[in-house]
Amino acid sequence: AQKVTQAQTEISVVEKEDVTLDCVYETRDTTYYLFWYKQPPSGELVFLIRRNSFDEQNEISGRYSWNFQKSTSSFNFTITASQVVDSAVYFCALNPLGAGSYQLTFGKGTKLSVIP
Amino acid sequence: DAEITQSPRHKITETGRQVTLACHQTWNHNNMFWYRQDLGHGLRLIHYSYGVQDTNKGEVSDGYSVSRSNTEDLPLTLESAASSQTSVYFCASRGMNTEAFFGQGTRLTVV
């Protein structure tokens, strides 16, 4: 069975602060994908990143960065110099690739509020 | 541009009625999914399909059914709507090596 845990239910930061959203996953599969999605107040789900389990390189995209550590089964997401537009619910998701599975298992999400 | 659309966007129905939520994608993806989103639960998988005539139960499938008669559509049916099925429903599609693309969501209220 697979599981994704986002222990932080809600986080509030002041604009321009850095913030890290935690994601811990469980799977017996050795090959899997990890994802982050953003859900702004408008409600749509916006894809942010997909990471293959073979690729442990950290990734940076503008103010966003992701730290993938297989040893601790974590895939944490950091926003640098947060902005009000970053206020959203963020979901981490896991897709184990065993037996041809394509379904994503989501964490419960972390609601980020960036205060001006 | 390819897209995935859900209809209706909002629906109010009465307890016991049958309701069908539509999902249509033009990505030509074989893999399609229905999730529900509830506060404190994140997104939970209801049903999924990996191709025409293929349907599978997800984590919270009781009271729901799907059918897949073509690649583009995966309608979700609530056989007899219950108040516990008040939720926001998301449809998604995905290729073999892509992210999942989500529809805009359908807010369903069962009264």
Side-chain angles (χ1 to χ4, degrees), chain A residues 32-96:
Chain A
Y32 48 87
Y33 282 123
L34 293 162
F35 302 81
W36 276 95
Y37 282 83
K38 174 183 180 180
Q39 187 177 43
S42 51
E44 73 273 21
L45 285 154
V46 178
F47 166 75
L48 295 178
I49 189 171
R50 180 185 65 166
R51 172 63 73 213
N52 187 303
S53 54
F54 291 132
D55 183 2
E56 286 195 69
Q57 281 193 347
N58 291 331
E59 179 147 346
I60 298 174
S61 176
R63 296 184 296 106
Y64 294 171
S65 62
W66 290 270
N67 183 353
F68 175 32
Q69 292 199 338
K70 259 178 135 171
S71 60
T72 56
S73 297
S74 65
F75 187 42
N76 296 337
F77 173 32
T78 297
I79 302 174
T80 303
S82 60
Q83 299 177 2
V84 172
V85 293
D86 296 326
S87 296
V89 180
Y90 291 86
F91 291 98
C92 181
L94 166 70
N95 167 214

Side-chain angles (χ1 to χ4, degrees), chain A residues 33 35 37 39 42-45 47 50 89 91 95 97 99-109, chain B residues 9 31 33 35 37 40-43 45 48 50 58 90 94-104:
Chain A
Y33 282 123
F35 302 81
Y37 282 83
Q39 187 177 43
S42 51
E44 73 273 21
L45 285 154
F47 166 75
R50 180 185 65 166
V89 180
F91 291 98
N95 167 214
L97 294 174
S101 170
Y102 295 100
Q103 55 189 282
L104 274 65
T105 297
F106 285 84
K108 295 183 178 181
Chain B
R9 296 292 310 278
N31 309 311
F33 311 87
Y35 290 87
Q37 182 179 14
H41 291 279
L43 287 101
L45 184 65
Y48 61 99
Y50 287 166
F90 285 96
R94 186 178 177 207
M96 283 182 60
N97 291 304
T98 72
E99 68 270 30
F101 296 87
F102 284 85
Q104 320 95 302

